[in-house]
Amino acid sequence: MTSCAPITGPDKSSYLKVLSYQEIDYGHYYFLHDSFLYCFTEENPQAQTDDLGVQFTEMFIKQQENVTILLSILEEFDFHVRWPGVKLLTCLLKQQGPQVQQIILVSPMGVSRLMDLLDDSREVIRNDGLLLLQQLTKSNAAIQKIVAFENAFERLLDIITEEGNSDGGIVVEDCLLLLQNLLKYNNSNQNFFKEGSYIQRMKPWFEVGDDNSGWSAQKVTNLHLMLQLVRVLVSPGNPPGATSSCQKFMYQCGLLQQLCIILMATGVPADILTETINTVSEVIRGSQVNQDYFASVNAPSNPPRPAIVVLLMSMVNERQPFVLRCAVLYCFQCFLYKNQKGQGEIVATLLPSTIDATSLSAGQLLCGGLFSTDSLSNWCAAVALAHALLENSTQKEQLLRVQLATSIGNPPVSLLQQCTNILAQGSKVQTRVGLLMLLCTWLTNCPIAVTHFLHNASNVPFLTAQISENLGEEEQLVQGLCALLLGICIYYNDNSLESNTKEKLKQLIEKRIGKEIFTEKLGFITKHEFYSKAAQKPQPSFSSPDHMMFDHEFTKLVKELEAVIIKAIYKSSEEDKKEEEVKKSLEQHDNIISHYKNVIREQDLQLEELKQTVSTLQAKNEQFQTTVSQQVAQIQQHKDQYNLLKVQLGKDNQHHNSHNSNAQINGFQSEEVSRLKEEIEELKKQHDLLQGELSEKNTLIENLSCNQAAGQTEQTTGVSEQVTELQKEMETLRSQLHVQSTEINRLQAERMELLQKVEASATVTASGDSASAASKNNDYEEKIAGLLRELSSLKDEVNLLSVEKSTLKRELDSAHSTTAILQDEKLKLGQEVSESKKEQDDLLILLADQDQKILSLKNKLKELGEQVDDEDDLESGDAGDEDDLDEEDSRDDDM
């Protein structure tokens, strides 16, 4: 800006209508402020435009009311008002983003007004609204959360679907960029996106057809952004719990399967294929289920080959693009990350018993790449094989069995020996760095591998020669790695070889190299710029193949080993012996604790199984209670029916009593009728008494069910006695019912005899009786027939009750057997709990003894002048173990 002066006089009046700065002629800008029209003259207009925009934006937002008024103007539906307002606010956010964001954030309903732009039916305003929201959500977590809770995910995904997913235009790209702003580095929004079931809606994005030729540039851009959005959700930098849950959802909804289809498809552009490999890598990283699925994926070839083998073929092929080979290496690393099963499968393809000569395997490809003439293939294969050994002592020992045929007629050599042979041949720096990283990873925490390495007499002299030489700057990295490998041989040496014990190796370093020089060379690793770049993130990202030197996981290993190796070098033999004793004691202590923890864990599993058994029995008991309740309801229904019949019978008896004035009916004596009525009444009373006793037994059944659910041993004993008494009383009831049935049959027989007498007397006197006597005889015959029918129905009811009682007895027997089973199970539980408590008491005593031993060993170390740093950690660890045991004791007491 060369000039800035107010214009006065006639020139000012001609420019009073200028509302914002604009170019009147080339290189001159005018701005009206406080009745002054300022003119800006520029020598380089294009270079000064951004500075002018920043200055004018600062002047505009000095008064926050200007932004608030602008937000209120956006509520106008008029296109000529709303659209320029969107453009102006977007410009303000570009020039002074953080300041304008803060003003909008404190403005009432400010973000909500801007979100309404996405619902505008005019695509121009909606699309510019997307650009506005992109600027609004940049690097502001608070606004990102508000926009997400304004249903932004739903609206944006709907727009992407309407526009045709990956086949859409620039609008889809804008939506994806906005989604990235909302989700990247924002754990709250990521969790909201996952819980809102929006991951499932991403699957249609990756449904590509069989014909993948001729993709448009926009489709490539859209699909690239979609893959990046998936990676945002499963990035290794996210919290582990959030990443694992997103990985689980992606497998369940079929998103991982769809990505693997793209991975194995033909005709996919190279950059999309590379990004797809990186995306699949992070979707399966650390997820056992996803890793197992990826291991089962086959390429559509004839014969079918595993996807891992096809990818490794690309990695060791020097004609493939560099970024693609890096992506395949990252995919292989993610497949083996925390996957001991996968590590075992890869190492198994190298073992003699599992090698299949008819087809290529992952192990054969890695060995081929390890010993090829391409240094990048050597490095990638060495790093890939090192990941198959990470934190897996079993596979480190198994890999010692691998034998290689170097040439015809020569005996095979081990893989370990072949690696050291290539090192000694003086190959390229990248190759030697890869092999040294493999050997360091292999020998770490594996004394057997250290012994095999030291068994070759030429290995130690080679390492000492490499470390002691004064080489160029390029060789410093190799020297540092050789020092690290030699330090590992000292630290993890079990002194099984007399010629290469810890003490002898340290003496060799002191004589040939010098401890200070050794420490200096070891420090070359962490000081290297490539080390710092590799330590930043797990994905290999290098600008060129020559910069590919370090692996991310190896940088972690160096950080752990550097300090302990330096400490081991400066220790005396006596200190080593004492430290070995302490280590053995601590290992023994840890083994004992681990043993008892395993015992406690097994007991917990047994207790859980017993609890499940008890729960099953309780469920069965509830079913029995339900059955008993149904039976009680049926008995009550029968009681009601019986009472109704009894009432009807009482009415008939009253009607019969009204005719007692007739003392004698055709030779039928009134005394016999009275006797029959009395016997019927007695039978009714007996039946009522039996019904009362039956109600008492039902009450006992209900009490038995409640006592059985409570599960107490004393009540179970009482229930058994009640069941025995109940069985006796049931037998008594059966006998009484049998007597009653016999009595009813006898009464029926007497009634039949009486009827026969009445019919006989009616026949003799039929000629001398009047018409009224004949009608009375007919009435009495009908009443007697009615009594017989009622007695018959009563007998049927009694039979039904007898059947119901027999059913109840069977239910009682089953309940009694269930009670006995529960009692036995609880006795077993009690015995196991007491045994568990006894074992835990023994464990506490043993832990106390071990703590005393550790304390005495620490005191001895202190007396010898050794600084003990891990005292608090050990004490806190022991306290944690004792807390765990206390929790187990309290849990056993609750049982």
Side-chain angles (χ1 to χ4, degrees), residues 64-202:
Q64 297 186 7
E65 293 80 3
N66 293 339
V67 179
T68 305
I69 293 171
L70 183 57
L71 291 173
S72 62
I73 289 175
L74 292 179
E75 294 183 348
E76 294 290 336
F77 188 74
D78 187 357
F79 178 81
H80 297 288
V81 176
R82 200 173 202 185
W83 185 52
V86 172
K87 302 285 284 185
L88 176 57
L89 188 56
T90 305
C91 182
L92 295 176
L93 285 166
K94 287 181 179 179
Q95 302 296 339
Q96 294 288 341
Q99 293 84 347
V100 178
Q101 285 175 342
Q102 192 61 31
I103 296 172
I104 295 175
L105 189 61
V106 299
S107 177
M109 300 295 292
V111 178
S112 299
R113 292 172 180 174
L114 299 180
M115 287 298 299
D116 292 339
L117 297 174
L118 298 180
D119 296 329
D120 200 305
S121 59
R122 294 161 294 192
E123 290 189 1
V124 175
I125 295 179
R126 184 199 68 182
N127 297 343
D128 283 340
L130 288 171
L131 300 176
L132 170 60
L133 290 172
Q134 284 181 27
Q135 298 297 326
L136 179 66
T137 55
K138 279 185 178 179
S139 305
N140 194 310
I143 293 180
Q144 290 169 2
K145 291 179 182 178
I146 295 173
V147 171
F149 282 99
E150 288 285 344
N151 204 22
F153 294 139
E154 185 75 27
R155 296 179 182 183
L156 293 173
L157 293 174
D158 288 342
I159 293 174
I160 292 173
T161 303
E162 291 171 2
E163 295 291 328
N165 294 326
S166 61
D167 294 322
I170 190 70
V171 178
V172 173
E173 180 181 349
D174 293 336
C175 290
L176 292 170
L177 290 173
L178 179 54
L179 283 172
Q180 283 193 16
N181 285 352
L182 296 175
L183 293 172
K184 201 169 187 178
Y185 308 124
N186 194 318
N187 298 329
S188 175
N189 282 2
Q190 290 176 10
N191 189 49
F192 181 66
F193 190 85
K194 176 195 66 178
E195 293 180 352
S197 300
Y198 297 119
I199 292 178
Q200 291 87 323
R201 297 188 60 179
M202 299 170 71

Side-chain angles (χ1 to χ4, degrees), residues 463-522:
L463 293 178
T464 55
Q466 287 288 319
I467 299 169
S468 60
E469 289 182 2
N470 292 323
L471 302 174
E473 188 174 342
E474 293 182 355
E475 295 292 332
Q476 287 183 352
L477 189 57
V478 176
Q479 287 183 314
L481 291 171
C482 288
L484 178 66
L485 182 58
L486 186 56
I488 290 171
C489 292
I490 294 173
Y491 186 73
Y492 291 104
N493 194 334
D494 59 358
N495 297 324
S496 58
L497 289 176
E498 295 183 0
S499 59
N500 287 311
T501 60
K502 282 186 177 182
E503 188 61 27
K504 290 182 179 180
L505 290 176
K506 287 193 290 185
Q507 292 175 1
L508 182 64
I509 289 174
E510 190 171 0
K511 291 179 182 179
R512 298 282 181 88
I513 304 171
K515 293 181 179 179
E516 292 78 9
I517 297 176
F518 179 86
T519 305
E520 180 185 357
K521 297 292 178 70
L522 184 61

Side-chain angles (χ1 to χ4, degrees), residues 708-720:
Q708 184 180 2
Q712 298 178 356
T713 307
E714 295 178 358
Q715 293 180 353
T716 304
T717 305
V719 167
S720 301

Side-chain angles (χ1 to χ4, degrees), residues 812-866:
L812 282 171
D813 292 338
S814 63
H816 179 65
S817 62
T818 304
T819 303
I821 293 172
L822 286 172
Q823 184 177 0
D824 293 338
E825 292 293 338
K826 287 177 180 178
L827 288 174
K828 292 179 181 178
L829 276 173
Q831 292 175 358
E832 291 177 356
V833 167
S834 61
E835 291 176 0
S836 176
K837 290 182 66 177
K838 183 177 179 182
E839 289 179 356
Q840 290 174 359
D841 292 338
D842 296 339
L843 175 60
L844 287 174
I845 294 171
L846 185 58
L847 287 174
D849 294 339
Q850 292 296 329
D851 289 338
Q852 287 297 118
K853 290 181 182 179
I854 292 171
L855 185 59
S856 63
L857 290 171
K858 288 179 184 175
N859 292 332
K860 289 180 181 179
L861 288 174
K862 290 180 179 179
E863 291 173 1
L864 293 170
E866 182 68 21

